[in-house]
Amino acid sequence: MAAVSEPRGINHGAVLLEMAGFFGHEGHGLTQILGPLIIDTLVGMGNDRDAATQSMHTVVATLTANPL
């Protein structure tokens, strides 16, 4: 359960801070703050840093090509 609640808490906090404007108005909160924070969390849970970074790049590329 902790493995699920940790990223959810990070996402929730990051969204609230982004909405409040704490990351600036350039829209870089996701790539410069949330992305590295999630990678560090996954590495802390035992994932390989290179694999986590590659996964993040894949997600960003997919979302960039196919916006929600």
Side-chain angles (χ1 to χ4, degrees), residues 1-2 21-23 28-29 31 37 41-46 49-50 53 55 58 60 62 68:
M1 185 58 120
F22 282 94
F23 299 148
H28 299 295
T31 57
L37 181 58
T41 301
L42 293 173
V43 170
M45 292 177 167
R49 181 168 296 279
D50 291 334
T53 302
S55 294
T58 301
V60 169
T62 300
L68 298 175

Side-chain angles (χ1 to χ4, degrees), residues 3-4 6 13 15 18 30 43 47 49 51 54 58:
V4 173
E6 188 77 22
V15 166
E18 179 76 27
L30 181 64
V43 170
N47 198 353
R49 181 168 296 279
Q54 182 58 44
T58 301

Side-chain angles (χ1 to χ4, degrees), residues 1-38:
M1 185 58 120
V4 173
S5 63
E6 188 77 22
R8 282 181 59 188
I10 290 170
N11 285 335
H12 178 71
V15 166
L16 291 177
L17 290 171
E18 179 76 27
M19 289 171 59
F22 282 94
F23 299 148
H25 300 287
E26 298 82 21
H28 299 295
L30 181 64
T31 57
Q32 294 180 352
I33 297 170
L34 183 58
L37 181 58
I38 289 177

